[in-house]
Coordinates of all heavy atoms in Angstrom, one line a residue:
M1 N 34.2 -1.4 -5.6 CA 33.0 -1.9 -6.1 C 33.2 -2.6 -7.5 O 34.0 -2.0 -8.3 CB 31.9 -0.8 -6.3 CG 31.5 -0.3 -4.9 SD 30.2 0.9 -4.9 CE 29.9 1.4 -6.6
K2 N 32.6 -3.7 -7.8 CA 32.7 -4.2 -9.1 C 32.0 -3.3 -10.1 O 30.9 -2.9 -9.9 CB 32.1 -5.6 -9.1 CG 32.8 -6.5 -8.4 CD 32.1 -7.9 -8.5 CE 32.8 -8.9 -7.7 NZ 32.3 -10.4 -7.8
P3 N 32.6 -3.2 -11.3 CA 31.9 -2.3 -12.3 C 30.7 -3.1 -12.9 O 30.7 -4.3 -13.1 CB 33.0 -2.1 -13.3 CG 34.0 -3.3 -13.2 CD 33.8 -3.6 -11.6
K4 N 29.8 -2.4 -13.4 CA 28.6 -2.9 -14.2 C 27.6 -3.8 -13.5 O 27.0 -4.6 -14.2 CB 29.1 -3.5 -15.5 CG 29.8 -2.4 -16.3 CD 30.1 -3.1 -17.7 CE 30.8 -2.0 -18.5 NZ 31.1 -2.5 -19.9
I5 N 27.7 -3.8 -12.2 CA 26.7 -4.8 -11.4 C 25.8 -4.0 -10.6 O 24.6 -4.5 -10.1 CB 27.4 -5.9 -10.6 CG1 28.1 -5.2 -9.4 CG2 28.3 -6.7 -11.3 CD1 28.6 -6.1 -8.3
H6 N 26.0 -2.7 -10.4 CA 25.1 -1.9 -9.5 C 24.1 -1.1 -10.4 O 24.4 -0.7 -11.5 CB 26.0 -1.0 -8.7 CG 26.8 -1.5 -7.8 ND1 26.5 -2.2 -6.6 CD2 28.2 -1.8 -7.9 CE1 27.5 -2.8 -6.1 NE2 28.6 -2.5 -6.8
P7 N 22.9 -0.9 -9.9 CA 21.9 -0.2 -10.6 C 22.3 1.2 -10.9 O 23.0 1.8 -10.0 CB 20.6 -0.4 -9.8 CG 21.1 -0.6 -8.5 CD 22.5 -1.3 -8.5
D8 N 21.7 1.9 -11.9 CA 21.9 3.2 -12.1 C 21.0 4.1 -11.2 O 19.8 4.1 -11.4 CB 21.8 3.5 -13.6 CG 21.8 5.0 -14.0 OD1 22.7 5.6 -13.4 OD2 21.0 5.5 -14.7
Y9 N 21.6 4.9 -10.3 CA 20.8 5.8 -9.6 C 20.6 7.2 -10.2 O 21.7 7.7 -10.9 CB 21.4 6.1 -8.2 CG 21.2 5.0 -7.1 CD1 22.2 4.1 -6.9 CD2 20.0 5.0 -6.6 CE1 21.9 3.1 -5.9 CE2 19.6 4.0 -5.7 CZ 20.7 3.0 -5.3 OH 20.6 2.0 -4.4
H10 N 19.5 7.8 -10.3 CA 19.3 9.0 -10.9 C 18.1 9.7 -10.2 O 17.4 9.2 -9.5 CB 18.9 8.7 -12.4 CG 17.8 7.7 -12.7 ND1 18.2 6.3 -12.8 CD2 16.6 7.6 -12.6 CE1 17.1 5.7 -12.9 NE2 16.1 6.3 -12.8
F11 N 17.9 11.0 -10.7 CA 16.8 11.8 -10.0 C 15.5 11.6 -10.7 O 15.4 11.6 -11.8 CB 17.2 13.3 -10.0 CG 18.2 13.6 -9.0 CD1 19.6 13.7 -9.4 CD2 17.9 13.8 -7.6 CE1 20.6 14.0 -8.4 CE2 18.9 14.1 -6.7 CZ 20.2 14.3 -7.1
I12 N 14.5 11.4 -9.9 CA 13.1 11.2 -10.3 C 12.2 12.1 -9.4 O 12.6 12.5 -8.4 CB 12.6 9.8 -10.3 CG1 12.4 9.3 -8.9 CG2 13.3 8.9 -11.2 CD1 11.6 8.0 -8.8
K13 N 11.0 12.4 -10.0 CA 10.1 13.1 -9.1 C 9.0 12.1 -8.6 O 8.6 11.3 -9.4 CB 9.4 14.2 -9.9 CG 10.4 15.3 -10.3 CD 9.7 16.4 -11.2 CE 10.9 17.4 -11.5 NZ 10.5 18.3 -12.7
V14 N 8.5 12.5 -7.5 CA 7.4 11.5 -6.9 C 6.2 12.5 -6.6 O 6.5 13.5 -5.9 CB 7.9 10.9 -5.5 CG1 6.8 10.0 -5.0 CG2 9.2 10.1 -5.8
Q15 N 5.1 12.1 -7.1 CA 3.9 12.9 -7.0 C 3.0 12.2 -5.9 O 2.6 11.0 -6.2 CB 3.2 13.3 -8.3 CG 2.0 14.0 -8.1 CD 1.3 14.4 -9.4 OE1 1.8 13.8 -10.4 NE2 0.3 15.2 -9.5
M16 N 2.7 12.8 -4.7 CA 1.9 12.2 -3.8 C 0.3 12.4 -4.2 O 0.1 13.1 -5.2 CB 2.1 13.1 -2.5 CG 3.5 13.2 -2.1 SD 4.1 11.8 -1.2 CE 3.7 12.2 0.5
T17 N -0.5 11.8 -3.5 CA -1.9 11.8 -3.9 C -2.5 13.1 -3.8 O -3.5 13.6 -4.3 CB -2.7 10.8 -3.0 OG1 -2.5 11.0 -1.6 CG2 -2.4 9.4 -3.2
D18 N -1.9 14.0 -2.9 CA -2.5 15.3 -2.6 C -2.0 16.4 -3.7 O -2.3 17.6 -3.6 CB -2.3 15.8 -1.3 CG -0.8 16.1 -0.8 OD1 0.0 15.6 -1.7 OD2 -0.6 16.5 0.3
G19 N -1.0 15.9 -4.6 CA -0.5 16.8 -5.5 C 0.9 17.3 -5.3 O 1.4 17.9 -6.4
T20 N 1.4 17.1 -4.2 CA 2.7 17.6 -3.8 C 3.7 16.8 -4.6 O 3.5 15.6 -4.8 CB 3.0 17.7 -2.3 OG1 2.8 16.4 -1.8 CG2 2.0 18.6 -1.5
V21 N 4.9 17.3 -4.9 CA 5.8 16.7 -5.7 C 7.3 16.9 -5.0 O 7.5 18.0 -4.6 CB 5.9 17.3 -7.1 CG1 7.0 16.5 -8.0 CG2 4.6 17.0 -7.9
F22 N 8.0 15.8 -5.0 CA 9.4 16.1 -4.4 C 10.3 15.3 -5.3 O 9.9 14.3 -6.0 CB 9.4 15.6 -2.9 CG 9.3 14.2 -2.6 CD1 10.3 13.2 -2.7 CD2 7.9 13.7 -2.5 CE1 10.1 11.9 -2.4 CE2 7.7 12.4 -2.1 CZ 8.9 11.4 -2.1
E23 N 11.4 15.6 -5.2 CA 12.6 14.9 -6.1 C 13.4 14.0 -5.2 O 13.8 14.4 -4.0 CB 13.4 16.0 -6.8 CG 14.4 15.4 -7.8 CD 14.9 16.5 -8.6 OE1 15.8 17.2 -8.1 OE2 14.5 16.7 -9.8
T24 N 13.8 12.8 -5.6 CA 14.6 12.0 -4.9 C 15.5 11.1 -5.9 O 15.2 11.2 -7.1 CB 13.8 11.0 -3.9 OG1 14.7 10.3 -3.1 CG2 12.9 10.2 -4.9
R25 N 16.4 10.4 -5.3 CA 17.3 9.5 -6.1 C 16.6 8.1 -6.2 O 16.1 7.6 -5.2 CB 18.7 9.5 -5.7 CG 19.4 10.8 -6.0 CD 20.8 10.7 -5.6 NE 21.4 9.4 -6.0 CZ 22.7 9.3 -6.1 NH1 23.5 10.2 -6.0 NH2 23.1 8.1 -6.4
S26 N 16.6 7.4 -7.2 CA 16.1 6.1 -7.3 C 16.6 5.2 -8.4 O 17.2 5.9 -9.4 CB 14.5 6.2 -7.5 OG 13.9 5.0 -7.5
T27 N 16.3 4.0 -8.4 CA 16.6 3.2 -9.7 C 15.4 2.8 -10.6 O 15.5 2.4 -11.5 CB 17.1 1.9 -9.2 OG1 16.1 1.0 -8.5 CG2 18.5 1.9 -8.4
W28 N 14.2 3.5 -10.2 CA 13.0 3.4 -10.9 C 13.1 4.2 -12.0 O 13.4 5.4 -12.1 CB 11.9 3.7 -10.0 CG 10.4 3.5 -10.6 CD1 9.7 2.5 -10.8 CD2 9.8 4.6 -11.3 NE1 8.6 2.8 -11.4 CE2 8.6 4.1 -11.8 CE3 10.0 6.0 -11.5 CZ2 7.7 4.8 -12.5 CZ3 9.1 6.7 -12.2 CH2 7.9 6.1 -12.7
G29 N 12.6 3.7 -13.2 CA 12.4 4.6 -14.4 C 13.7 5.2 -15.0 O 14.7 4.6 -14.8
K30 N 13.5 6.3 -15.6 CA 14.6 7.0 -16.2 C 14.8 8.4 -15.6 O 13.9 8.9 -14.8 CB 14.4 7.1 -17.8 CG 14.3 5.9 -18.5 CD 14.0 6.2 -19.9 CE 12.7 7.0 -20.3 NZ 11.6 6.3 -20.7
E31 N 15.9 9.0 -15.9 CA 16.2 10.3 -15.3 C 15.0 11.3 -15.6 O 14.6 11.3 -16.8 CB 17.5 10.8 -16.0 CG 17.9 12.2 -15.5 CD 18.5 12.2 -14.0 OE1 19.1 11.3 -13.8 OE2 18.4 13.2 -13.5
G32 N 14.4 11.9 -14.6 CA 13.4 13.0 -14.9 C 12.0 12.5 -15.0 O 11.1 13.2 -15.1
D33 N 11.8 11.1 -14.8 CA 10.5 10.4 -14.9 C 9.7 10.9 -13.6 O 10.3 11.3 -12.6 CB 10.6 9.0 -14.9 CG 10.8 8.4 -16.3 OD1 10.9 9.2 -17.2 OD2 11.0 7.2 -16.5
T34 N 8.3 10.8 -13.7 CA 7.5 11.1 -12.5 C 6.8 9.8 -12.1 O 6.1 9.3 -12.7 CB 6.5 12.3 -12.9 OG1 7.2 13.5 -13.1 CG2 5.7 12.6 -11.6
M35 N 6.9 9.5 -10.8 CA 6.2 8.3 -10.1 C 5.1 9.0 -9.4 O 5.1 9.8 -8.5 CB 7.1 7.7 -9.1 CG 6.3 6.5 -8.5 SD 7.4 5.8 -7.1 CE 8.8 4.8 -8.1
T36 N 3.9 8.5 -9.9 CA 2.5 8.9 -9.3 C 2.0 7.8 -8.4 O 2.0 6.7 -8.7 CB 1.5 9.1 -10.4 OG1 2.0 10.1 -11.2 CG2 0.3 9.8 -9.7
L37 N 1.9 8.2 -7.0 CA 1.6 7.3 -6.0 C 0.1 7.2 -5.9 O -0.6 8.2 -6.1 CB 2.2 7.7 -4.7 CG 3.7 7.8 -4.6 CD1 4.2 8.2 -3.2 CD2 4.4 6.3 -4.8
E38 N -0.4 6.0 -5.6 CA -1.8 5.8 -5.3 C -2.2 5.8 -3.9 O -3.2 6.2 -3.5 CB -2.3 4.5 -6.0 CG -2.2 4.5 -7.6 CD -2.6 3.0 -8.1 OE1 -2.9 2.0 -7.3 OE2 -2.5 3.0 -9.3
I39 N -1.2 5.3 -3.1 CA -1.3 5.3 -1.6 C -0.1 5.9 -1.1 O 1.1 5.4 -1.5 CB -1.5 3.9 -1.1 CG1 -2.8 3.3 -1.7 CG2 -1.6 3.9 0.4 CD1 -3.0 1.8 -1.3
D40 N -0.2 6.9 -0.1 CA 1.0 7.4 0.6 C 0.7 7.8 1.9 O -0.5 7.6 2.5 CB 1.5 8.6 -0.3 CG 0.6 9.7 -0.4 OD1 -0.4 9.8 0.4 OD2 0.6 10.5 -1.4
P41 N 1.6 8.3 2.8 CA 1.3 8.6 4.1 C 0.2 9.8 4.3 O -0.4 9.8 5.4 CB 2.7 9.1 4.6 CG 3.6 8.4 3.8 CD 3.0 8.4 2.4
T42 N -0.2 10.5 3.3 CA -1.2 11.5 3.6 C -2.6 11.0 3.2 O -3.6 11.5 3.6 CB -1.0 12.7 2.4 OG1 -1.1 12.2 1.2 CG2 0.4 13.3 2.6
S43 N -2.7 9.7 2.7 CA -4.1 9.1 2.4 C -4.2 7.7 3.0 O -5.3 7.2 3.0 CB -4.2 9.0 0.9 OG -3.3 8.1 0.4
H44 N -3.2 7.0 3.5 CA -3.3 5.8 4.0 C -3.9 5.7 5.5 O -3.3 6.4 6.3 CB -2.0 5.1 3.9 CG -2.1 3.5 4.0 ND1 -2.3 2.8 5.2 CD2 -2.1 2.5 3.1 CE1 -2.4 1.6 5.1 NE2 -2.4 1.3 3.8
P45 N -4.8 4.8 5.7 CA -5.4 4.7 7.1 C -4.4 4.5 8.3 O -4.5 4.8 9.3 CB -6.4 3.7 7.1 CG -6.7 3.5 5.6 CD -5.5 3.9 4.9
A46 N -3.3 3.7 7.9 CA -2.3 3.5 8.9 C -1.6 4.6 9.4 O -1.2 4.8 10.6 CB -1.3 2.5 8.2
W47 N -1.4 5.7 8.6 CA -0.8 6.9 9.0 C -1.7 8.0 9.4 O -1.4 8.9 10.2 CB 0.1 7.5 7.9 CG 1.3 6.7 7.7 CD1 2.4 6.7 8.6 CD2 1.5 5.8 6.7 NE1 3.4 5.7 8.1 CE2 2.8 5.2 6.9 CE3 0.9 5.3 5.6 CZ2 3.5 4.3 6.0 CZ3 1.5 4.4 4.7 CH2 2.7 3.9 5.0
T48 N -2.9 8.1 8.9 CA -4.0 9.1 9.0 C -4.9 8.8 10.2 O -5.5 9.6 10.8 CB -4.9 9.3 7.8 OG1 -5.5 8.2 7.6 CG2 -4.0 9.8 6.5
G49 N -4.8 7.6 10.7 CA -5.7 7.3 11.8 C -7.3 6.9 11.5 O -8.1 6.7 12.3
G50 N -7.4 7.0 10.2 CA -8.8 6.7 9.7 C -9.2 5.3 9.9 O -8.3 4.4 10.1
T51 N -10.5 4.9 9.7 CA -10.9 3.6 9.9 C -11.0 2.9 8.4 O -11.0 3.6 7.5 CB -12.3 3.6 10.5 OG1 -13.1 4.2 9.7 CG2 -12.3 4.1 11.9
R52 N -10.8 1.7 8.5 CA -10.9 1.0 7.2 C -12.1 0.0 7.3 O -12.6 -0.3 8.3 CB -9.7 0.2 6.9 CG -9.4 -0.9 8.0 CD -8.0 -1.6 7.7 NE -7.9 -2.5 8.9 CZ -7.4 -3.8 8.7 NH1 -7.0 -4.3 7.4 NH2 -7.2 -4.6 9.7
Q53 N -12.7 -0.1 6.1 CA -13.8 -1.0 6.0 C -13.5 -2.5 6.3 O -12.5 -3.0 5.5 CB -14.6 -0.9 4.8 CG -15.3 0.4 4.6 CD -16.1 0.5 3.3 OE1 -15.7 -0.1 2.3 NE2 -17.1 1.3 3.3
L54 N -14.2 -3.1 7.1 CA -13.9 -4.5 7.4 C -14.9 -5.4 6.4 O -16.0 -5.0 6.2 CB -14.1 -4.9 8.8 CG -13.3 -4.1 9.7 CD1 -13.6 -4.5 11.1 CD2 -11.8 -4.5 9.5
D55 N -14.5 -6.5 6.1 CA -15.3 -7.5 5.3 C -16.4 -7.9 6.2 O -16.2 -8.6 7.3 CB -14.5 -8.6 5.0 CG -15.3 -9.6 4.1 OD1 -16.2 -9.2 3.5 OD2 -14.7 -10.8 3.9
Q56 N -17.7 -7.6 5.9 CA -18.9 -8.1 6.6 C -19.1 -9.5 6.6 O -19.9 -10.1 7.3 CB -20.0 -7.2 6.4 CG -19.7 -5.7 6.5 CD -19.5 -5.4 8.0 OE1 -20.1 -6.0 9.0 NE2 -18.6 -4.4 8.3
G57 N -18.6 -10.1 5.6 CA -19.0 -11.6 5.3 C -17.9 -12.5 5.7 O -17.6 -13.4 5.0
G58 N -17.3 -12.3 6.9 CA -16.2 -13.1 7.3 C -16.8 -14.5 7.8 O -17.9 -14.9 7.9
R59 N -15.9 -15.4 8.3 CA -16.2 -16.7 8.8 C -17.1 -16.7 9.8 O -18.1 -17.5 10.1 CB -14.9 -17.5 9.1 CG -14.0 -17.6 7.9 CD -14.5 -18.4 6.8 NE -14.6 -19.8 7.2 CZ -15.5 -20.7 6.5 NH1 -16.0 -20.3 5.3 NH2 -15.5 -21.9 7.0
V60 N -16.9 -15.8 10.8 CA -17.8 -15.7 12.0 C -19.1 -15.4 11.7 O -20.1 -15.8 12.1 CB -17.1 -14.9 13.1 CG1 -18.1 -14.7 14.3 CG2 -15.7 -15.3 13.6
A61 N -19.3 -14.3 10.8 CA -20.5 -13.9 10.4 C -21.3 -14.9 9.6 O -22.5 -15.1 9.8 CB -20.4 -12.6 9.5
Q62 N -20.7 -15.7 8.8 CA -21.2 -16.8 8.1 C -21.7 -17.9 9.1 O -22.8 -18.3 9.0 CB -20.3 -17.4 7.1 CG -20.1 -16.6 6.0 CD -19.0 -17.2 5.0 OE1 -18.4 -18.1 5.2 NE2 -18.7 -16.5 3.9
F63 N -20.9 -18.2 10.1 CA -21.3 -19.2 11.2 C -22.6 -18.8 11.9 O -23.5 -19.5 12.0 CB -20.2 -19.3 12.1 CG -20.4 -20.4 13.2 CD1 -20.3 -21.7 13.0 CD2 -20.9 -19.9 14.5 CE1 -20.6 -22.7 14.0 CE2 -21.3 -20.9 15.3 CZ -21.1 -22.2 15.2
N64 N -22.5 -17.4 12.3 CA -23.7 -16.9 13.1 C -25.0 -16.8 12.2 O -26.0 -17.1 12.8 CB -23.4 -15.5 13.6 CG -22.4 -15.5 14.8 OD1 -22.3 -16.7 15.5 ND2 -21.6 -14.6 15.1
K65 N -24.9 -16.5 10.9 CA -25.9 -16.5 10.0 C -26.5 -18.0 9.8 O -27.8 -18.1 9.9 CB -25.5 -16.0 8.7 CG -26.6 -15.9 7.8 CD -26.1 -15.3 6.5 CE -27.1 -15.3 5.3 NZ -26.7 -14.9 4.0
R66 N -25.7 -18.8 9.8 CA -26.1 -20.2 9.7 C -26.6 -20.9 10.8 O -27.6 -21.7 10.9 CB -24.9 -21.1 9.1 CG -25.3 -22.4 8.6 CD -24.1 -23.0 7.9 NE -24.5 -24.3 7.3 CZ -23.6 -25.2 6.7 NH1 -22.4 -24.8 6.5 NH2 -24.1 -26.3 6.3
F67 N -26.0 -20.7 12.0 CA -26.3 -21.4 13.3 C -26.7 -20.5 14.4 O -26.7 -21.0 15.6 CB -25.0 -22.3 13.8 CG -24.6 -23.2 12.7 CD1 -23.4 -23.1 12.1 CD2 -25.4 -24.5 12.5 CE1 -22.9 -24.1 11.1 CE2 -24.9 -25.3 11.6 CZ -23.8 -25.2 10.9
G68 N -27.0 -19.2 14.1 CA -27.2 -18.3 15.2 C -28.4 -18.5 15.9 O -28.6 -18.2 17.2
G69 N -29.4 -19.1 15.4 CA -30.9 -19.6 16.0 C -30.7 -20.8 17.0 O -31.6 -21.1 17.7
L70 N -29.6 -21.5 16.9 CA -29.5 -22.8 17.7 C -29.1 -22.5 19.1 O -28.3 -21.5 19.3 CB -28.4 -23.8 17.1 CG -28.9 -24.3 15.6 CD1 -27.6 -25.0 15.2 CD2 -30.1 -25.0 15.7
S71 N -29.5 -23.2 20.1 CA -29.1 -23.0 21.5 C -28.9 -24.3 22.1 O -29.3 -25.3 21.7 CB -30.2 -22.2 22.2 OG -31.3 -22.9 22.3
L72 N -28.3 -24.5 23.3 CA -28.2 -25.7 24.0 C -29.2 -26.0 25.0 O -28.9 -26.9 25.9 CB -26.8 -25.6 24.6 CG -25.6 -25.5 23.6 CD1 -24.2 -25.4 24.4 CD2 -25.3 -26.8 22.8
K73 N -30.1 -25.1 25.1 CA -31.3 -25.3 26.1 C -32.1 -26.5 25.7 O -32.2 -26.9 24.6 CB -32.2 -24.1 26.0 CG -31.6 -22.8 26.4 CD -32.5 -21.6 26.4 CE -31.9 -20.4 26.6 NZ -32.8 -19.3 26.4
K74 N -32.6 -27.2 26.8 CA -33.3 -28.4 26.7 C -34.8 -28.2 26.7 O -35.3 -27.4 27.3 CB -32.8 -29.5 27.7 CG -31.6 -30.1 27.5 CD -31.3 -31.1 28.6 CE -30.0 -31.8 28.2 NZ -29.7 -32.9 29.0

């Protein structure tokens, strides 16, 4: 390996949204720093199976609001 081109790996603590903490190696921060997560597998809908709120004002909703009363009847 070439000297002085690789990042410095050190131990940091990662705090999940539920308060649990684990230690891992990373290039983030300094030795002993704590990374606090805002979204993690314990709270994100992709992993928990929860529903997410959809934007109610999308393009189709705007179209139906504007032209919903029109019909092709003669």
Side-chain angles (χ1 to χ4, degrees):
M1 293 188 344
K2 290 183 178 181
K4 298 183 180 183
I5 65 165
H6 298 284
D8 176 40
Y9 281 105
H10 46 270
F11 284 98
I12 65 165
K13 293 179 181 167
V14 179
Q15 183 175 5
M16 308 275 270
T17 57
D18 63 354
T20 58
V21 177
F22 66 92
E23 192 171 72
T24 187
R25 288 180 47 154
S26 176
T27 59
W28 180 86
K30 300 182 299 261
E31 179 80 28
D33 282 352
T34 301
M35 177 188 287
T36 305
L37 300 178
E38 295 175 4
I39 298 175
D40 61 18
T42 61
S43 66
H44 195 278
W47 289 285
T48 60
T51 59
R52 60 185 177 135
Q53 289 184 330
L54 298 175
D55 183 21
Q56 299 297 324
R59 301 295 294 165
V60 173
Q62 289 176 358
F63 179 86
N64 288 334
K65 182 179 175 185
R66 190 170 181 186
F67 300 109
L70 299 177
S71 67
L72 297 175
K73 296 178 184 175
K74 291 186 176 184

